[in-house]
Structure formats: C-alpha cells, structure tokens
Amino acid sequence: MGRVYLDYNASAPLLEPAKKAMIEAFDVFGNGSSVHNQGREVHGRIEAAREALANMVGARAQDVIFTSGGTEANNLALTPSLFPKDMQPQARLYVSGIEHPSVLNGMRFEKDKITVIPVTRDGVVDVEWLRSELLSTEEAVDETNKNEPNKKQIKPLLVSVMAANNETGIVQPIAEIAEIVHEAGGLLHSDCVQVLGKMPLLLPMTNADLISVSAHKIGGPQGVGALILKDASVVLRDPLVTGGGQELKRRGGTENMAGIVGFGAAAVAVSESFAADQARIRDLRDQLETGLQEISPDAVIFGKDVSRLGNVCCFAVPGFSAETQVIQLDLMNVSVSSGSACSSGKVDHSHVLKAMAVKENISFAALRISLGWGSSVDDVERFLEAWEGIYTRAKKRGHAA
Ligand code: PLP
C-alpha cells in the first residue's frame, strides 16, 4: 500500500503533462537571449508557456514576469515604485496579518511604513477597518495632484492581501478590497499562490493590479513562479534581480526554461480539467470533514462558516498536539501538515490562527489536510481510519478532548 499524500498546499505532485514537457525541454539547449536557431527555440518555448499562463489568469503575455517562485514574486511586488515615473512612490504598505511571510516582511518598505490590516475571528480581512482607514484619512495625498481640486486625489499606497490563506483555505473578499483600494487611488497586490487553478481568470476576478503565482502548487515544478501585472498602468521600475535584460528588464538572469515550460504545461492541464476537478475535490474534503466530526464531535474546523477553498480542512481537537499527530500519521504512511508548519520544519504558534484570536491551546492542535488532483476516496478513508486510531488512543490517555 502506497503513502497517502494530503499536503497539496505545501506542494502538489508533478502532473504528467508537466513532467513530459520538461523531459522534452531538457533536450533543447541554448540561451533564450541568443539570436541563433537554438536560442530562438528556447525563446519560443518560454513564450509559449508565458502565453499559456497569461490565458489561464486573463492577462496579456507581456505582463507575466517569471520568477523563482511565489516567494520571489511576492518580494518583487512589494516596492514603493510601482507607479509610472511622473507619480509619487507608494508611501505606505498595508498587509493583512495572515499573509505568507514573504509578504509580511514588507520587503522594500521601511518597517515604520507598514501597517497590518486586522482580520476577524472568522479569518477574513476586516474590510470595514480598511474602508475607514483608506477612505477617511486625509494624510498622504499625492503632491502631484493636491493643487488640482477637480482631479481625483491619489493616495500613494500599496495594499497586499492574499486571495486565500494557505493554512485555513479561507477566501478573502479581494474584489471588494480592490474597489476600496482603487477608490483611495492605491494599488492592490494579491498573493494568489493558493488559488491558481482553483479559481478561473484571476486577474479580472480579483481586479487586483498585480498577482503572485507559483508552479508547484498546481502540479508544475518547484522553483518557478510569476508576478503578473494587470496592464501597462502598473510599472515595475525597480527589479530585485538585475543584470541581463530578461523579462523585459524586470527580472534579470537566464530563464529556467525547463521549469517555465513545466509551469506552462501544468497551466494548460489544470485549465482543461478545472471545473470537474474542483467539484470532485470539494466532495472529498466534505466527506473527510463529515467523517472527522463523527469520530470527534469536539473537532473545531476553522473557517467552516465562511467561504473556503474546497481542498482544505484545517481543524483542531483541543488538547491534541498537532506535532504528535503529524508524527504518528507519518509512521502510518499518511502525510499531512500542522496548521502552523513553517519552512524550518519546526512547529510554532501559527501567526494566522493568532491573527484570528485562536487561543494557543487550540492552535497548537491545528492540523491541515489539503487535497489535490491525485486525491481519492481511498486516501480519505485511509486518513480517517489512521486518525481515528491515534485519536482514540490519545483520548484514553487524556491527551485529547
Ligand atoms: N504564498 C503562499 C500563500 C504560499 O502558500 C506559498 C508557499 O507555501 C508561497 C507564497 C511561496 O511560494 P514558493 O514556494 O513558490 O516560493
């Protein structure tokens, strides 16, 4: 019996079409910037992948900037100079308290220029707080238009709110947030790493000005991502990686052609199977949650009453340590994450659950199950059987509610 993998939000297994396209691409050599035949061949493959990703999210191909992943795309987006040259730089950055660390760090904004947007206990960004903060203050009016009363007042700010959270799957009201930010004259960046492939046409749907995506969350390779701009009104004037003029001078360095090709192939495959796959995965998740609550009626499912991604179940049984569960499930060939798993591998109090005012004795018990394209009914049944075993033992010893 193979392993049960329920950690798609950490990384999805490579899709077969992505793997095939990458293996083929390894036989193609040359530098995409060279003018000779091989260079043009490499360039052509990169551009085809760019087109595929642009079609998937509803962007223009020239607005897709390939990066080394979602982390770099987020880092690249957070700069005070996203407006054209004749406008004021963004003076302030607003980020929600549940962002991925690659956004929370604020990158090229000074610490005292970063404001954290609160979230409600349901894990949703507090839209009313943002509305009153951005639309009722007079500060930070752009010098370029303050003497022109008839011209719309521009507040030079950048807001970054993720489309859905990686730990809880809770979906954020991005279109509503976009409306507020635009009314204030600012720009909205959205980390769409966890929603790519789960929601169609992300750019028009979110109305964000720039979005970050990552290949390995949709069945593409690790180490490839993209920052995608809405249109020519968003200008990335100050790249993070400089050198050659690649990616229209917005990200230097010879492109990772095979990785980009894999991303493009995954984008096409996911777009083709989108609707059927999402419905199937949601049914599996619902079946898993019904089973969980039959085993333990005390299990708290985070975000159950708000809009959530259909592939995630983040839950906690008070008193039942997530770390213990992850280790015991691993020994039974089941891979899941603790809600607070971070890149260093150590389990910490989750900043996401903390922002939702979840008490520490519950958040230390938070387990994250995330399903994806390869998940099956058998996976769900095997997880439930394994979990019931460890839960029953813990309960007998008084280690779980
Ligand atoms: N943003 C979110 C919401 C994520 O879940 C992740 C990965 O876990 C990232 C960004 C970083 O993406 P990458 O692993 O491609 O650097």
Side-chain angles (χ1 to χ4, degrees), residues 9-10 69-71 74 100 102 162 164 166 191 193-194 214 216-217:
N9 279 17
T71 298
N74 282 340
H100 187 265
S102 56
M162 64 198 335
N166 43 310
D191 176 344
V193 164
Q194 292 294 347
S214 173
H216 72 109
K217 309 290 182 175

